[in-house]
Structures are given as structure tokens and as C-alpha cells.
Amino acid sequence: MPVVEATMGDTLVLNIQNSLDQPTTLHTHGMFQRGTTYYDGAAMTTECAIAPGTNFTYEINLEQSGTYWIHSHKNSQNFDGLRTPFVIKDPNDPYKSDGEYLLAIEDWWPVPFATTFAALTDVTGQSNPFANPPNMLINGAPTAPKLDFEPGKTYRIRLVSMMSLPLYEFAIDDHDLQIIEVDGEYTKPKTVKVVRLAPAQRVSVLVTAKSSKRNNYHYHITMFGNFLPPIPGVFPSVQNGTISYSPSGPFVATRTIPSEIFDETTMQALSGAELVPDRGLYFNATSGFLPSGVNYESFNLVTYRDPITPSIFTALDDKLGLNPISYGPQTNAHVLKYGEVIEMLFWSATQLSHPLHLHGHTFQVVERGFINDTSSALKRRVPKGGYPLKRDTVLVPNGEYVIVRFKADNPGVWLMHCHFDWHMALGLDMVFVEAPTEMRKRIKVPQSVINQCRRQGFPTSGNVVGNNAYNYDNAPNLPHLLLDSPLSAQVTLSTFKKLIRK
């Protein structure tokens, strides 16, 4: 898809013709969708997907500015490449620049997601999902574009991670990067040597050019992940681009490529005092096993499955909308009161990291730490009286926790999920039903949304299965995940019996 550009205050109109052989959606990642939750693109949460061979139009009021992206939210089509950057200009941008560049980084896998998913869910252990590893693409190309600099000028570089799995880092030899925007939210400037992004995150930096055209320089984009298996030339891999001051100038030799974690607690937003929570929620992003031995991801050992009735319609039912069970056991739905401040503790005790994304909101990142640090000696927290950094996607590294807060002031139905495509497909998703009573006052679902559901035979009222009473027969329902693989237990028992026979 082409890059989408707009200006704050515009109405974005996306006319979609689905020529695929499967349903699809488009999610404008990071948009609040205030009053238009039905255009959020989260299939079977805010709407039904767009049926093959049909058309659909999204109309989105752009109350925000900054750096975003648009991607499918159906059938892991984002993994297969259905994605593009999205930039919203601010006529009153507090940070001025003389020029601007966009660098959208993605991992391009040579096999479709269906092949990878089959390997992920193979209980025999004979399949390797990394058998066909990805290449790095920058603005859709396998090579890094040249960035022309003029002496003394200041450039804004918009960094977008459209990755499905790896992290990446960006650095320029002998140049400072001044962070001014994170996930569409302005920040107080912070000068760094390198910026690290997880999938779905965005960062804007200002770079001031040298005063002379004497030399040229390299910039570096490194694809990596300490949770990924080392594959030579892939994890890690580096693409080197050119910062060009002069066509004939020599290059300054690269001494070292810096690497550094991105710690939100060392940064501040331009405004917004720390929220005081009304209640707290705990989310353990962990994996477990079905009795069949298939390994799935989960929040609190509940692995997600789509409801049969899109959750928005259940939320708009005045009899059912307030009860979390109405949305089905596998949506892991949490009903929020209008205006309450929610504190969430994200926890990753496994060997996996998780970039967790909340639809419809940004949240304040107030604390980070290690889950085995019982003394809190390594805890990092926003200074008292500061303005916590806001973003919509936060990386929870393996063995760490993160505390975030947001205000439930946007009535709607909002997904929260891991933005590793593998983990999202394996069930690391859940639903917030935000202020359903207020939803009924403010939100009227367009007929075009209803028509897509009816065309595909999905209910547009009632509970998870379309019933108007507390009857949940045939609702998607899985047993709670087991912490240990039952197949491992069977192997152990088999081995024990063989030893006894000997």
C-alpha cells in the first residue's frame, strides 16, 4: 500500500475493495477512534471483517498528529505484508525542522503466515518456524535509502517499526538523535545516540547536520532480538545507509554501532501529570499448553478466541453489556467504568518479550523493573511531579514488569494484545469494554458495518453467540492452559517405564 499522509483535523476516508480470497480489515494503528470504535478495524471485536469481493469505507476524524501506520487486523495479514506508514502533520508542531525523512522498517518472511503457524503449533517438535527467516526491508526495499543533509540544517526522521517479530535500532555515525515524539505523543527533547523500537512502535528524532560538507557518514539499522535464535546474517543483521553531504566527499569510518535499551521512565511527555489510579489490573503475559500439547500464548492463562458476535454489538445491549461473561470466556473481557483510571501491571516471567498494544488509547509508562528483584534496587520510576511518557505500545522484556496507567474516557470496545504476530495468533489478546452505558448514548453503528456481518452470517445483537439471554451454548471455549506440556509428562512416564523394565 502507498504511504498515507494527512493533516490534523482532516477526515481520513479509506475506500477498500477486497480483492483477496479471504476477509480483511484495516486498522489505523494508534488512532483513538473517539466515537467511531466501529472503524477500528479489529475484526470480531469492533466490526466484522470485509468479505471477499466487497467494498467498505472507513471514515476517521483525525484529532491526533504524529507518526502511525495502517495494517490489517485479520488472519495475520500484517505478517504477510498488508501494512503501510501513516503520517499526520500538525500545523502547530512545536518542533520545527528544515526537512523530513520517513524510514519504515519491516521483516519480510519468504513464506505465508499459515506455513509459520503450522510450524508453531506442531506438537511433534519436528517443525522449525525459523526455517525460512526474514529479510529486512526499509521503505519496502532491501537496501537503505540515501538521506541528503545540508550543513547546519535540522532534519526530522520518522522511524516506524512495521516488524512482525524482531526489534530494530537506528543510529547515525557521529550525530546525535533528539527524540521529540513517541507513538504520536510529543515528548520533552531527549538526546541519545541510538533509538530502539519494538514492533508497532514509532519514534521521531531531530538531527542537526554538521557545519561542513567535508565528509559523508553512515547510518545503521540493526534487526535483532535477544529472545530470537541467533541466525548469521539475520538475527542480528545490519543495513547501512548514507548520510550524504557531498557526492564526492569521503566517508568517516564507523568506529562502533551503539546499542541501548529504550527506557520510558527516563523521558517525559510535554504535558500531563501522573494519573492517580482508581484500581489496578494484573496481566501475566505467559504461555501454556492445551491437553493436546499445543503451546499457546495468554493473559493470565486465558488464550483468546474471537467471539461469534462482534463484541461491539454485545456492549450495546442494555441487558448484557455490563456482564463480562456476555462476551464469552475466551475474549477475557474486562468491563470498565467511564472515567476511571486503570493501572495495569504487565508481567513476563517466560523467556519471551512482548510489545503490548492498547487500542483506543495511549497510556502513561510509570515504572519498570525485574520480576526477581525483590529488593526493588533495580526499579526505574518516573520522578515525582514529572510528566510520564505516553505511548500506545510498550515492550515488556522477558523477566521484567512494566506499570502503565490510562483513563477510561473513550467509550468503545478496545483490543489489547501482543504485537508479535506469532503471539497474537496464538492467543495473547484480550478485550476492554469501556463504559458500555455511555456507548449506548454516543455510538450508532453504521449500516455498512451491519451489512458486512449479515453478508457473512454473523449476529449483530446478543451475547457471544447471538443469544439475548444467558445461554452460551457453542461459545468458543477452551480449557485453562497448563503450565507444563502434557506430552512432556507422557515422554517422562514412557522413559520411566523403560527404565523399570531394564
Side-chain angles (χ1 to χ4, degrees):
M1 295 192 294
V3 175
V4 178
E5 295 186 350
T7 300
M8 186 176 179
D10 287 349
T11 298
L12 176 67
V13 179
L14 299 173
N15 294 307
I16 311 303
Q17 179 179 345
N18 184 8
S19 298
L20 302 174
D21 60 359
Q22 56 185 277
T24 191
T25 68
L26 286 183
H27 168 59
T28 46
H29 182 112
M31 293 293 95
F32 294 153
Q33 297 283 9
R34 204 174 298 278
T36 55
T37 183
Y38 42 75
Y39 287 148
D40 190 47
M44 303 313 292
T45 298
T46 60
E47 65 223 69
C48 294
I50 305 166
T54 68
N55 300 334
F56 186 78
T57 299
Y58 296 95
E59 296 187 22
I60 303 166
N61 298 320
L62 302 181
E63 62 177 275
Q64 300 155 258
S65 66
T67 311
Y68 303 92
W69 61 307
I70 300 171
H71 61 86
S72 173
H73 225 295
K74 177 67 176 175
N75 295 337
S76 299
Q77 292 163 352
N78 173 62
F79 180 95
D80 292 329
L82 188 48
R83 55 200 178 200
T84 193
F86 177 33
V87 174
I88 308 175
K89 299 294 182 67
D90 182 355
N92 301 307
D93 196 323
Y95 294 108
K96 306 304 179 184
S97 62
D98 300 300
E100 184 172 303
Y101 291 105
L102 172 70
L103 295 176
I105 318 301
E106 55 191 313
D107 51 337
W108 183 259
W109 297 72
V111 294
F113 183 78
T115 301
T116 301
F117 190 75
L120 288 169
T121 54
D122 179 10
V123 298
T124 69
Q126 301 302 306
S127 298
N128 178 10
F130 293 100
N132 297 283
N135 295 307
M136 187 198 321
L137 298 182
I138 304 168
N139 294 348
T143 56
K146 178 170 66 73
L147 307 183
D148 292 314
F149 276 23
E150 293 185 24
K153 290 191 174 183
T154 297
Y155 297 88
R156 180 176 186 156
I157 301 178
R158 297 178 185 265
L159 303 170
V160 183
S161 177
M162 302 196 303
M163 295 283 198
S164 67
L165 189 63
L167 313 181
Y168 84 82
E169 290 183 323
F170 174 82
I172 305 176
D173 288 344
D174 203 24
H175 288 68
D176 289 333
L177 312 176
Q178 189 178 66
I179 298 173
I180 59 166
E181 177 220 345
V182 171
D183 291 1
E185 295 280 359
Y186 290 123
T187 71
K188 292 183 178 180
K190 181 184 178 182
T191 300
V192 298
K193 292 295 184 183
V194 61
V195 174
R196 179 179 296 185
L197 293 92
Q201 294 181 332
R202 294 89 60 209
V203 174
S204 281
V205 297
L206 293 180
V207 183
T208 300
K210 300 289 186 181
S211 59
S212 167
K213 300 178 66 172
R214 184 180 307 112
N215 297 313
N216 294 319
Y217 300 82
H218 285 114
Y219 69 87
H220 313 281
I221 298 174
T222 305
M223 182 171 72
F224 74 105
N226 64 351
F227 50 87
L228 299 173
I231 302 175
V234 180
F235 305 133
S237 59
V238 181
Q239 285 279 9
N240 300 309
T242 297
I243 301 292
S244 176
Y245 286 87
S246 168
S248 58
F251 279 89
V252 172
T254 300
R255 294 187 297 273
T256 183
I257 300 176
S259 178
E260 185 177 287
I261 65 170
F262 192 104
D263 186 356
E264 293 89 351
T265 64
T266 65
M267 299 182 60
Q268 293 198 43
L270 273 187
S271 62
E274 184 175 332
L275 294 170
V276 178
D278 295 306
R279 65 178 171 126
L281 298 173
Y282 167 73
F283 293 104
N284 183 7
T286 190
S287 59
F289 297 86
L290 294 179
S292 64
V294 178
N295 184 226
Y296 277 100
E297 299 293 323
S298 76
F299 284 118
N300 301 339
L301 292 177
V302 179
T303 193
Y304 179 87
R305 289 292 182 274
D306 283 334
I308 296 170
T309 304
S311 296
I312 186 173
F313 296 115
T314 303
L316 292 171
D317 189 301
D318 61 353
K319 297 183 178 63
L320 302 172
L322 290 172
N323 192 335
I325 195 61
S326 298
Y327 302 90
Q330 298 309 136
T331 61
N332 204 0
H334 289 59
V335 178
L336 307 180
K337 297 178 182 178
Y338 181 65
E340 68 176 333
V341 174
I342 302 297
E343 178 176 279
M344 296 190 289
L345 169 59
F346 298 137
W347 183 277
S348 178
T350 68
Q351 296 302 307
L352 301 173
S353 299
H354 301 288
L356 299 182
H357 170 54
L358 174 61
H359 288 222
H361 290 275
T362 54
F363 39 60
Q364 296 181 338
V365 183
V366 298
E367 184 175 314
R368 283 184 170 276
F370 294 86
I371 61 177
N372 59 356
D373 177 25
T374 56
S375 67
S376 296
L378 300 176
K379 178 175 72 175
R380 293 105 68 198
R381 204 185 188 290
V382 173
K384 189 174 182 180
Y387 296 155
L389 189 76
K390 292 176 283 188
R391 67 183 321 165
D392 59 52
T393 307
V394 67
L395 180 65
V396 186
N398 48 304
E400 297 188 28
Y401 72 87
V402 179
I403 295 176
V404 304
R405 294 173 184 166
F406 73 97
K407 187 173 184 178
D409 59 358
N410 189 11
V413 180
W414 309 113
L415 267 183
M416 186 172 76
H417 60 87
C418 180
H419 228 291
F420 289 152
D421 281 8
W422 293 10
H423 294 180
M424 187 161 35
L426 289 168
L428 192 45
D429 319 66
M430 54 83 61
V431 172
F432 282 119
V433 181
E434 188 169 333
T437 302
E438 287 296 319
M439 283 182 64
R440 290 193 288 275
K441 297 176 185 176
R442 305 182 187 192
I443 292 174
K444 179 175 174 55
V445 179
Q447 190 63 42
S448 60
V449 175
I450 295 171
N451 289 345
Q452 283 291 343
C453 293
R454 290 178 175 170
R455 186 177 286 117
Q456 298 168 75
F458 293 113
T460 56
S461 64
N463 64 16
V464 56
V465 291
N467 292 326
N468 293 314
Y470 292 103
N471 176 354
Y472 305 103
D473 290 349
N474 300 316
N477 192 13
L478 293 173
H480 277 270
L481 299 182
L482 308 172
L483 287 175
D484 297 311
S485 171
L487 298 183
S488 298
Q490 291 171 18
V491 171
T492 302
L493 180 60
S494 174
T495 304
F496 179 69
K497 288 180 177 178
K498 289 178 181 177
L499 288 173
I500 291 176
R501 292 192 192 104
K502 290 181 179 179

